[in-house]
Structures are given as structure tokens and as C-alpha cells.
């Protein structure tokens, strides 16, 4: 029986551990998990602006989607009980339509442009949330499918799975607990689906896999801490804190620092 050759795997992990800016990437993913755990959104909005300052956007997207799978064990079980499960499944299926288009843009467009798009989308989402925009669409199948497809496209291109869903969900009439549960379940399951889609379409870089595995622990710890802090009666406070952290991540990801 031929012995398993572990050398390539060990080399891949060694390369990830020597990645420039790894400490900042791990800090960013922990904070992203923390905010995600208590607010139910904002993880990619926090992580991607910082990560793309150190990583190629394709690697950053792949690693983050892989690390986000840990939420299946940390925050999704509690959220699933409170979520609108049929609506979440419909959104997920629709997101698969937009993912390939977004992933094509991710690998086709120049890395610096993708980084600027990430910053622009995150900034626009933050501004709209701060202004308190409310959508006028009804809770119907058609708009829900459109939102899901748009989320898949934007998430595939930038790694920001949340902006479209966040604007859709936070402007709904759902209470704090259900709103948080819906976004947590959708965004986590969407990330879980994006990993095999990236692999099947040849978009998932090999170097993103060990980095994503390394990021599992800080992201999971952040999610557990955030979930422990969650109190639906203090929704306003949590959203304000999340907005401030998103703004700080945007500043940290500005090209002037690189």
C-alpha cells in the first residue's frame, strides 16, 4: 500500500502561515465572526476590505467562504429555529443562478478593480443602512427570487454575500430575532454552497483552502462570542456597533495603506 504523501499539504499550510498580513487577516475574521454572531450580518463587510489589502481577491473570497462554514456548528443551529425556513431556501436556490456570473467577474476583472468594488459596495451598503432606507417590495416569491439571484452575483464577484440580503431583510417588518436568524441562515448556507460552485467552475485557488481552514477557529470563536452577547431587546445598540466596525474596516481597507 502506497503511503499518503502529506508533503504538499504541509507545504500549503506552511505557505499560508507565512502569508504577509496573516495576523491582520485573522484579527479581521475574528471580529467579523463576533459581529456576525450578535448582529446576524456584517461579517464579509468587515473581512473583505481588510483581507483584500493583503490577499488576492480570489483567494480572499475562497478562504472566507470556506471559513464561514464553521457557522453551521456555531450560530446556525439556534438561528434555524427562529428563521423563516421556506423563504430562506427559496433565496438560496435563486442565489445559485447568480453565482456563476459573479465568479466569472471575479476572475476576469483586475484585482485592484475588484478591491475598489468591494470597498464601494461595502460603503454604499453602510450608507444606505445608516439612512434607514426601507424597501417597497412585498413579501412575494418573485422579488425574493430576484434578491437571491442578485445576492449570488454580488457575492461571487466580491465575496460580499450580504449587502443585497441585508438591505432586503433589515428593511422588512420582521422582528430583531427573526431578521437576525434569516440573515444568519441564508448567508452561512450561501457560503457553504459557494465553495463547491467555485471548485466546480475552477475558480477556487488551492492556496485558499489551507488559509480558509486556518481561519475556521477565529471565525468560529468570534461567532460563539457574538451569539452569547445577542439580546433582541438591544438590537439598536448592536446595529450601531456593527456599523462602526464596518466603517473602521472600510478605512483599514483603503488603498492608501498599501
Amino acid at each position: 500500500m502506497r503511503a499518503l504523501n502529506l508533503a504538499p499539504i504541509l507545504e500549503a499550510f506552511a505557505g499560508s502561515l507565512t502569508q504577509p498580513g496573516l495576523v491582520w487577516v485573522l484579527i479581521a475574521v475574528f471580529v467579523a465572526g463576533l459581529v456576525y454572531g450578535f448582529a446576524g450580518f456584517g461579517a464579509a463587510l468587515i473581512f473583505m476590505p481588510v483581507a483584500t489589502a493583503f490577499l488576492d481577491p480570489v483567494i480572499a473570497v475562497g478562504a472566507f467562504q470556506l471559513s464561514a462554514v464553521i457557522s453551521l456548528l456555531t450560530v446556525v443551529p439556534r438561528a434555524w429555529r427562529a428563521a423563516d425556513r421556506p423563504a430562506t431556501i427559496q433565496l438560496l436556490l435563486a442565489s445559485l443562478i447568480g453565482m456563476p456570473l459573479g465568479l466569472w467577474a471575479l476572475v476576469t476583472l483586475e484585482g485592484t478593480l475588484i478591491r475598489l468594488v468591494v470597498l464601494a459596495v461595502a460603503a454604499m451598503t453602510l450608507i444606505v443602512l445608516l439612512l434607514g432606507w426601507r424597501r417597497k417590495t412585498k413579501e412575494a416569491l418573485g422579488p425574493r427570487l430576484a434578491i437571491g439571484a442578485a445576492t449570488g452575483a454580488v457575492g461571487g464577484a466580491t465575496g460580499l454575500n450580504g449587502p443585497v440580503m441585508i438591505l432586503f431583510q433589515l428593511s422588512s417588518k420582521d422582528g430583531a430575532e427573526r431578521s437576525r436568524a434569516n440573515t444568519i441562515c441564508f448567508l452561512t448556507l450561501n457560503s457553504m454552497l459557494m465553495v463547491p460552485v467555485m471548485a466546480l467552475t475552477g475558480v477556487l485557488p488551492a492556496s485558499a483552502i489551507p488559509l480558509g481552514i486556518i481561519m475556521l477557529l477565529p471565525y468560529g470563536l468570534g461567532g460563539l462570542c457574538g451569539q452569547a452577547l445577542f439580546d433582541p431587546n438591544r438590537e439598536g445598540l448592536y446595529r450601531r456597533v456593527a456599523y462602526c466596525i464596518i466603517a473602521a474596516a472600510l478605512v483599514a481597507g483603503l488603498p492608501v495603506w498599501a
Side-chain angles (χ1 to χ4, degrees), residues 146-162:
I147 291 296
T151 298
V154 174
T158 65
L160 300 177
N161 303 47

Side-chain angles (χ1 to χ4, degrees), residues 173-254:
K173 296 180 180 179
D174 290 332
E177 186 171 7
R178 168 157 281 199
S179 179
R180 171 182 173 276
N182 287 344
T183 52
I184 282 177
C185 291
F186 172 78
L187 295 177
T188 299
L189 295 172
N190 183 261
S191 292
M192 182 187 73
L193 291 174
M194 190 172 290
V195 172
V197 171
M198 291 183 73
L200 290 172
T201 54
V203 177
L204 184 65
S207 57
I209 297 174
L211 181 59
I213 293 173
I214 292 169
M215 288 162 46
L216 283 170
L217 181 58
Y219 190 79
L221 288 175
L224 287 173
C225 293
Q227 180 170 252
L229 293 171
F230 175 69
D231 178 354
N233 296 320
R234 305 183 70 185
E235 174 192 10
L237 172 62
Y238 294 147
R239 290 194 184 192
R240 288 192 293 272
V241 171
Y243 298 163
C244 290
I245 295 176
I246 292 169
L250 284 169
V251 173
L254 289 173

Side-chain angles (χ1 to χ4, degrees), residues 132-150:
W133 175 82
R134 293 294 182 269
R135 61 184 164 87
K136 300 183 184 300
T137 57
K138 296 181 180 180
E139 290 287 346
L141 179 60
R144 190 177 296 126
L145 294 179
I147 291 296

Side-chain angles (χ1 to χ4, degrees), residues 2-258:
R2 178 182 294 180
L4 178 64
N5 185 6
L6 296 178
I9 299 175
L10 295 176
E11 289 176 5
F13 274 96
S16 295
L17 291 173
T18 58
Q19 167 68 46
L22 178 63
V23 172
W24 295 110
V25 170
L26 295 181
I27 291 173
V29 82
F30 172 79
V31 176
L34 181 69
V35 172
Y36 188 51
F38 72 69
F41 71 96
L45 288 168
I46 290 168
F47 178 77
M48 288 303 297
V50 176
T52 52
F54 301 100
L55 305 171
D56 180 276
V58 182
I59 296 175
V61 170
F64 182 70
Q65 303 305 330
L66 180 59
S67 69
V69 175
I70 194 65
S71 295
L72 288 170
L73 302 177
T74 57
V75 296
V76 167
R78 174 176 166 182
W80 186 250
R81 295 192 293 269
D84 183 344
R85 291 185 287 274
T88 299
I89 293 172
Q90 291 168 2
L91 285 165
L92 284 169
L93 293 176
S95 73
L96 292 173
I97 299 172
M99 272 184 203
L101 176 61
L103 291 172
W104 172 83
L106 176 66
V107 297
T108 302
L109 300 179
E110 200 268 329
T112 301
L113 178 59
I114 289 292
R115 181 181 174 188
L116 292 175
V117 171
V118 166
L119 291 170
V121 172
M124 289 173 59
T125 303
L126 179 60
I127 291 170
V128 172
L129 289 173
L130 289 171
L131 292 176
W133 175 82
R134 293 294 182 269
R135 61 184 164 87
K136 300 183 184 300
T137 57
K138 296 181 180 180
E139 290 287 346
L141 179 60
R144 190 177 296 126
L145 294 179
I147 291 296
T151 298
V154 174
T158 65
L160 300 177
N161 303 47
V164 179
M165 172 61 176
I166 290 167
L167 297 178
F168 178 75
Q169 184 59 55
L170 295 187
S171 61
S172 72
K173 296 180 180 179
D174 290 332
E177 186 171 7
R178 168 157 281 199
S179 179
R180 171 182 173 276
N182 287 344
T183 52
I184 282 177
C185 291
F186 172 78
L187 295 177
T188 299
L189 295 172
N190 183 261
S191 292
M192 182 187 73
L193 291 174
M194 190 172 290
V195 172
V197 171
M198 291 183 73
L200 290 172
T201 54
V203 177
L204 184 65
S207 57
I209 297 174
L211 181 59
I213 293 173
I214 292 169
M215 288 162 46
L216 283 170
L217 181 58
Y219 190 79
L221 288 175
L224 287 173
C225 293
Q227 180 170 252
L229 293 171
F230 175 69
D231 178 354
N233 296 320
R234 305 183 70 185
E235 174 192 10
L237 172 62
Y238 294 147
R239 290 194 184 192
R240 288 192 293 272
V241 171
Y243 298 163
C244 290
I245 295 176
I246 292 169
L250 284 169
V251 173
L254 289 173
V256 296
W257 309 118

